[in-house]
């Protein structure tokens, strides 16, 4: 796969999604990424009854969005490509390719100067960029995963002190992520038929695509009876999709049978509570159901905390030979070594970084951006928004008809008068 073209596609897709935000704003998109590097399997202790060989490669991606030279949002993800060869009892070799993307961090600085779902569109643009694997690897779907846990800041130091930042609690964050993934999956599927052409702002609703993305959500410690409440969303008007376009089928739990051995099927991503639990020696034969029970009493998912696992299979289109990511008008986003990428993160988390106020956020943004652009020759991609304005939160001009109310106060007063 051509790395430069891949990351131009990411920047282009993110820019195309941000373009749908209310008109009159300019944003700058920067994509930093590593080269592909070998890692251990995402199921390192899986057992096989036949010959199995696997190579897994990962890449790290950081997407940063600026407004007026100030960083306002960021997303960090890892993408894993697993190439496996199996030989069954009949000595028939079978090759399989699997791609799984894990969103590790999403954060805002509190410096955004507009009303609109910026972060939701950032996630949608990243999900849409995963379509690039259809041409490179000829696969039917990509796994999209994340662990939703409330924290005041992930990428921008001291941003929790910024009065412009709205920090969500546990339950609100879980609901926000479900709506965000709903919009992202629908947006990605609706836009897959037109490839990566970011110049066209249309969704392509003239082509009816009936595929459905299967998405899973589980809150360790929550009862299954809560599933209809958690998974109750049906439609989301923010995705800009026509009703004939694909849907998202939400299910409760992990995407594996409850009685299955967890090590044989549950993906183990870096710095994840599941990975830490399954690393214990006594977890060797845990089932998926037992794993969820242990997660419910863990430090990160229990003890009064609420967290959720989301996992989805995003169908992607098989690209035709003439499809191209439309890179003519996009900037080249350079490829970093693993060490250089870590250096970027160290700079972002440096003690000098301060996003607690507007002035501090602007100064820190310039310091970080100057370092990245000069050290690694990162050329940003600028996008001007052209979407409809966000309606203000004002009451309707026509008075609403009040629902009938059973007011017993008059009856009580009458009884009191009789008593007197």
């Amino acid at each position: 796969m051509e790395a430069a073209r891949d990351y131009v596609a990411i920047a282009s897709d993110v820019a195309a999604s941000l373009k749908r935000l209310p008109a009159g704003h300019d944003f700058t998109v920067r994509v930093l990424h590593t080269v592909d590097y070998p890692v251990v399997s995402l199921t390192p202790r899986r057992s096989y009854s036949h010959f199995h060989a696997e190579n897994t490669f990962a890449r790290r991606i950081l997407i940063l969005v600026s407004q007026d030279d100030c960083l306002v949002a960021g997303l960090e993800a890892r993408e894993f490509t697993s190439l496996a060869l199996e030989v069954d009892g009949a000595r028939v070799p079978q090759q399989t390719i699997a791609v799984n993307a894990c969103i590790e961090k999403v954060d805002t600085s509190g410096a955004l100067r507009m009303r609109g779902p910026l972060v939701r569109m950032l996630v949608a643009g990243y999900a849409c960029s995963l379509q690039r694997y259809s041409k490179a690897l000829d696969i039917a779907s990509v796994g999209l995963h994340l662990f939703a846990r409330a924290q005041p800041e992930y990428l921008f130091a001291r941003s929790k002190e910024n009065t412009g930042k709205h920090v969500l609690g546990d339950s609100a964050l879980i609901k926000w992520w479900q709506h965000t993934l709903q919009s992202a999956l629908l947006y990605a599927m609706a836009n897959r038929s037109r490839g990566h052409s970011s110049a066209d702002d249309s969704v392509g609703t003239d082509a009816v695509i009936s595929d459905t993305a299967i998405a899973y959500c589980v809150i360790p410690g929550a009862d299954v009876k809560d599933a209809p409440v958690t998974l109750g969303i049906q439609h989301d008007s923010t995705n800009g999709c026509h009703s004939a376009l694909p849907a998202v089928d939400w299910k409760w739990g992990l995407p594996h049978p409850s009685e299955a051995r967890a090590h044989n099927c549950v993906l183990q991503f870096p710095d994840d509570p599941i990975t830490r639990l399954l690393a214990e020696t006594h977890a060797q034969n845990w089932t998926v159901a037992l794993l969820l029970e242990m997660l419910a009493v863990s430090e990160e998912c229990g003890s009064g905390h609420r967290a959720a696992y989301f996992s989805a299979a995003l169908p992607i289109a098989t690209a035709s030979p003439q499809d191209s990511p439309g890179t003519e008008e996009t900037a080249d986003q350079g490829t970093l070594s693993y060490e250089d990428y870590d250096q970027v993160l160290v700079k972002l988390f440096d003690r000098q970084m301060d996003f607690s106020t507007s002035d501090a956020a602007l100064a820190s943004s310039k310091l970080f951006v100057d370092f990245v652009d000069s050290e690694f020759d990162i050329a940003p991609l600028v996008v001007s928004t052209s979407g409809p304005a966000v309606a203000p939160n004002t009451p309707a001009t026509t008075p609403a008809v009040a629902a009938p109310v059973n007011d017993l106060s008059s009856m009580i007063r009458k009884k009191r008068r009789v008593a007197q």
Side-chain angles (χ1 to χ4, degrees):
M1 189 182 301
E2 300 178 21
R5 177 174 290 250
D6 286 346
Y7 295 103
V8 167
I10 296 175
S12 299
D13 281 323
V14 171
S17 63
L18 296 184
K19 187 177 181 182
R20 297 170 180 268
L21 291 170
H25 302 276
D26 293 330
F27 292 99
T28 303
V29 179
R30 287 177 173 83
V31 176
L32 299 92
H33 55 87
T34 67
V35 296
D36 292 339
Y37 57 94
V39 295
V40 297
S41 168
L42 293 178
T43 52
R45 298 185 185 179
R46 182 177 179 180
S47 57
Y48 298 93
S49 59
H50 48 267
F51 174 80
H52 176 90
E54 180 177 326
N55 288 319
T56 301
F57 298 88
R59 57 180 60 172
R60 302 180 69 179
I61 299 169
L62 179 64
I63 307 172
L64 296 170
V65 180
S66 302
Q67 182 185 31
D68 298 331
D69 297 326
C70 188
L71 293 170
V72 294
L75 180 152
E76 186 179 19
R78 296 194 201 211
E79 297 174 1
F80 299 85
T81 302
S82 299
L83 312 174
L85 174 63
E86 298 185 21
V87 180
D88 59 19
R91 296 185 179 181
V92 177
Q94 181 178 0
Q95 293 183 344
T96 58
I97 301 175
V99 176
N100 289 282
C102 179
I103 298 178
E104 296 183 326
K105 298 181 182 73
V106 170
D107 200 7
T108 59
S109 67
L112 180 65
R113 291 186 291 278
M114 67 163 290
R115 291 186 63 229
L118 172 70
V119 180
R120 183 164 291 179
M121 297 311 296
L122 168 60
V123 176
Y126 172 68
C128 192
S129 75
L130 296 174
Q131 306 287 349
R132 66 190 184 277
Y133 282 105
S134 64
K135 185 176 182 179
L137 299 177
D138 192 24
I139 56 177
S141 65
V142 171
L144 183 59
H145 316 267
L146 68 94
F147 175 58
R149 176 180 54 189
Q151 283 193 5
E153 57 191 32
Y154 275 103
L155 293 171
F156 303 110
R158 298 188 61 188
S159 59
K160 62 182 179 182
E161 304 171 27
N162 195 310
T163 57
K165 182 170 185 174
H166 181 49
V167 179
L168 299 178
D170 293 346
S171 298
L173 179 70
I174 292 172
K175 292 178 181 178
W176 181 89
W177 262 119
Q178 190 192 0
H179 280 274
T180 296
L181 284 177
Q182 171 93 354
S183 294
L185 293 169
L186 290 174
Y187 177 86
M189 289 187 289
N191 285 272
R192 66 181 182 173
S193 61
R194 62 182 179 87
H196 295 282
S197 179
S198 60
D200 182 8
D201 190 44
S202 65
V203 182
T205 57
D206 53 338
V208 177
I209 306 172
S210 60
D211 290 345
T212 298
I214 307 299
Y216 293 83
C217 171
V218 65
I219 304 173
D223 197 279
V224 68
K225 67 182 180 182
D226 296 330
V229 177
T230 306
L231 309 179
I233 60 174
Q234 299 295 329
H235 303 286
D236 193 332
S237 60
T238 61
N239 57 66
C241 300
H242 190 270
S243 58
L245 290 174
V248 179
D249 183 9
W250 284 96
K251 300 179 183 295
W252 179 263
L254 293 176
H256 315 289
S258 298
E259 68 279 4
R261 180 175 176 263
H263 274 292
N264 284 350
C265 54
V266 179
L267 301 182
Q268 301 176 39
F269 295 104
D271 192 26
D272 185 274
I274 283 181
T275 303
R276 286 189 282 272
L277 276 179
L278 290 181
E280 302 290 338
T281 55
H282 57 271
Q284 181 66 24
N285 294 313
W286 282 4
T287 63
V288 173
L290 181 55
L291 171 62
L292 288 176
E293 291 180 12
M294 299 305 294
L295 277 171
V297 296
S298 66
E299 181 179 354
E300 291 159 295
C301 301
S303 304
H305 300 289
R306 275 291 175 97
Y309 277 93
F310 290 95
S311 181
L314 171 64
I316 57 178
T318 301
S320 58
Q322 66 268 22
D323 287 342
S324 67
T327 60
E328 291 79 11
E329 298 181 0
T330 60
D332 183 17
Q333 308 281 311
T335 304
L336 279 63
S337 67
Y338 191 92
E339 293 75 15
D340 286 341
Y341 186 91
D342 274 345
Q343 186 181 353
V344 169
L345 293 184
V346 168
K347 185 67 175 180
L348 185 59
F349 301 145
D350 190 89
R351 293 182 179 179
Q352 292 180 288
M353 296 294 107
D354 180 3
F355 293 86
S356 60
T357 66
S358 298
D359 292 340
L362 181 59
S364 296
S365 298
K366 289 183 177 180
L367 185 65
F368 175 78
V369 166
D370 288 346
F371 165 76
V372 168
D373 290 352
S374 60
E375 282 290 320
F376 305 109
D377 194 26
I378 301 298
L381 183 62
V382 179
V383 56
S384 296
T385 60
S386 59
V390 176
N393 295 324
T394 55
T397 55
T398 56
V401 178
V405 178
N406 292 326
D407 188 359
L408 303 180
S409 59
S410 60
M411 184 180 299
I412 295 173
R413 285 195 296 270
K414 289 179 180 178
K415 287 184 178 181
R416 285 179 178 173
R417 288 170 184 167
V418 171
Q420 291 175 354

